[in-house]
Amino acid sequence: MSTLQIGLAIIGGLVLAGVVAYNAWVTNKSAPLTARERAGGGSSDERAGDETLPYTPADLAEHEVQRVDPVFGDAPGAPEPADAAAVAVAAAAVSINPLMNQPPEKRPGLDALIDVIAPLMLEHEVSGDAVLAALPGTRRVGSKPFAVEGQSDSTGEWESPRPGQRYRALQAGVQLANRSGPLNDIEFSEFVVKAQAFADALGAAPDFPEMRAEVARARELDAFASGHDAQLGFMLRARRTAWSPGYVAQHAAQLGFVAGALPGRMVLATTQSGNAPILSLMFDPQAAMAEDPEQSALREIALSLEVTHVPRSEQPFVRMRQAAMALAEAMEGTVTDDGGQPLSPEAMDQIGADLESLYDALDSRDLSAGSPQARRLFS
């Protein structure tokens, strides 16, 4: 073989090796960032910090926080939340308070503010077992929840019927409005039929309010609710390299998020045990359920806040905003609205100001955000 041929063969081998190396580099750069890479890279100080957070979706599932939906006391068959009414795009989150094991505030399930209530007069006390046996099979009237309460003979408090208790008075109720709309004539009539049948089974005499007045009250309440329902949300989009589910979970866990009830959902728990979570973080559930989630590429995640379900005292918007900024900085992302437009600090300030006005309006109607009444109305 001549010297020229040998030289050309060497050059060809070098070119081929260069192509292989370049392809390997491109493949490595395009792979999603994973929790293992984050924990193994960076300075010694960074590694020391990350070693305390070996979180993956599987690890976090052990600390799952279930969503708690509003119900009438302990009554079974309580309504599932309907699709949310529209509103704004927003952002926020501050330092995370530790979860406290405080009991939720106890209030009667039925409330004249948001329910039609019909007293059921009794000739004598009835047992909780008899009340439970007489309850209708379904606890809904059209699209509205239906409930029965008894006044305990021992405590005098209104409560959902329980076996072994005795009740000196009963009342039946149906919710005036929810996200499905106001109580209408047909639903009111169905409520009367259902409550009458229950009363007949116990020998009680119901006292129903006038239908026209209650339906008008339902429409007025629905009009207020429609103008003050708010769900805030924004997107966090990757600027460069995509993220794996484990990478997202690791950074979210540093801010106090834990695995939710559904794949691809994490939540920031409230300081009040039993209440709905403050914030939700969501990404593609298919990526979370993949055989090898670390090879799934995520280019965006969503943060959302159910404004009417979280008390103002939790500072949910502030916490959401700061959490978004922290995640964006740590994962090289950009905070945008649903249309992909970046959210400026000025836009977030305006959203925060509008939110304070919303809280004030809810407070003025005794429907403060996060209260049992507000959670039932906005469901």
Side-chain angles (χ1 to χ4, degrees), residues 30-39 55-57 60 238 240-252 264 266 281-284 286-290 292-301 327 331:
S30 62
L33 294 173
T34 67
R36 289 187 294 273
E37 289 175 2
R38 178 70 177 87
Y55 296 115
T56 67
L60 294 171
R240 298 184 180 86
T241 308
W243 313 308
S244 71
Y247 186 77
V248 172
Q250 174 181 283
H251 284 286
M266 300 182 71
L281 182 153
M282 293 162 287
F283 53 86
D284 183 8
Q286 296 299 323
M289 295 186 295
D292 186 359
E294 294 304 283
Q295 296 304 311
S296 299
L298 301 172
R299 299 209 63 85
E300 64 180 27
I301 59 177
L327 289 172
M331 302 194 303

Side-chain angles (χ1 to χ4, degrees), residues 224 227-230 232 307-308 312 317 349-365 367-369:
F224 172 83
H228 296 84
D229 196 358
L232 305 181
V307 176
T308 54
R312 185 198 293 211
F317 181 76
D349 290 342
Q350 184 59 56
I351 292 169
D354 293 342
L355 195 55
E356 288 301 314
S357 297
L358 173 64
Y359 285 135
D360 291 339
L362 292 172
D363 291 344
S364 70
R365 287 289 298 256
L367 290 167
S368 298

Side-chain angles (χ1 to χ4, degrees), residues 8-220:
L8 291 174
I10 293 173
I11 292 172
L14 292 174
V15 170
L16 179 60
V19 170
V20 171
Y22 175 76
N23 287 338
W25 179 80
V26 169
T27 300
N28 181 67
K29 291 294 288 183
S30 62
L33 294 173
T34 67
R36 289 187 294 273
E37 289 175 2
R38 178 70 177 87
S43 67
S44 59
D45 290 340
E46 289 174 333
R47 288 196 297 271
D50 286 336
E51 287 172 358
T52 63
L53 291 165
Y55 296 115
T56 67
D59 299 326
L60 294 171
E62 297 179 2
H63 307 286
E64 179 174 313
V65 174
Q66 298 287 342
R67 173 176 177 136
V68 181
D69 291 316
V71 298
F72 280 121
D74 301 323
E80 294 293 332
D83 289 340
V87 267
V89 177
V94 293
S95 58
I96 309 303
N97 294 326
L99 181 64
M100 302 178 184
N101 293 321
Q102 299 177 357
E105 183 179 2
K106 293 184 178 180
R107 294 190 182 183
L110 289 172
D111 191 312
L113 183 66
I114 61 171
D115 296 304
V116 177
I117 300 178
L120 308 177
M121 276 70 76
L122 295 168
E123 293 184 359
H124 50 75
E125 291 181 358
V126 295
S127 68
D129 300 86
V131 174
L132 291 170
L135 287 175
T138 61
R139 309 297 168 80
R140 298 193 73 80
V141 171
S143 62
K144 311 298 184 297
F146 167 88
V148 169
E149 291 182 337
Q151 188 176 30
S152 172
D153 181 58
S154 58
T155 67
E157 299 292 329
W158 291 98
E159 64 182 26
S160 296
R162 295 184 296 150
Q165 302 297 309
R166 298 196 66 80
Y167 299 104
R168 59 175 114 166
L170 299 171
Q171 59 185 15
V174 62
Q175 196 163 311
L176 284 166
N178 58 15
R179 281 178 174 157
S180 297
L183 186 77
N184 57 40
D185 293 1
I186 295 175
E187 289 174 326
F188 186 93
S189 298
E190 184 181 341
F191 163 65
V192 170
V193 171
K194 183 167 288 191
Q196 183 68 63
F198 170 76
D200 291 343
L202 294 171
D207 182 14
F208 296 106
E210 200 274 320
M211 182 178 73
R212 293 287 89 203
E214 294 302 296
V215 170
R217 198 159 67 97
R219 290 173 180 166
E220 191 276 332

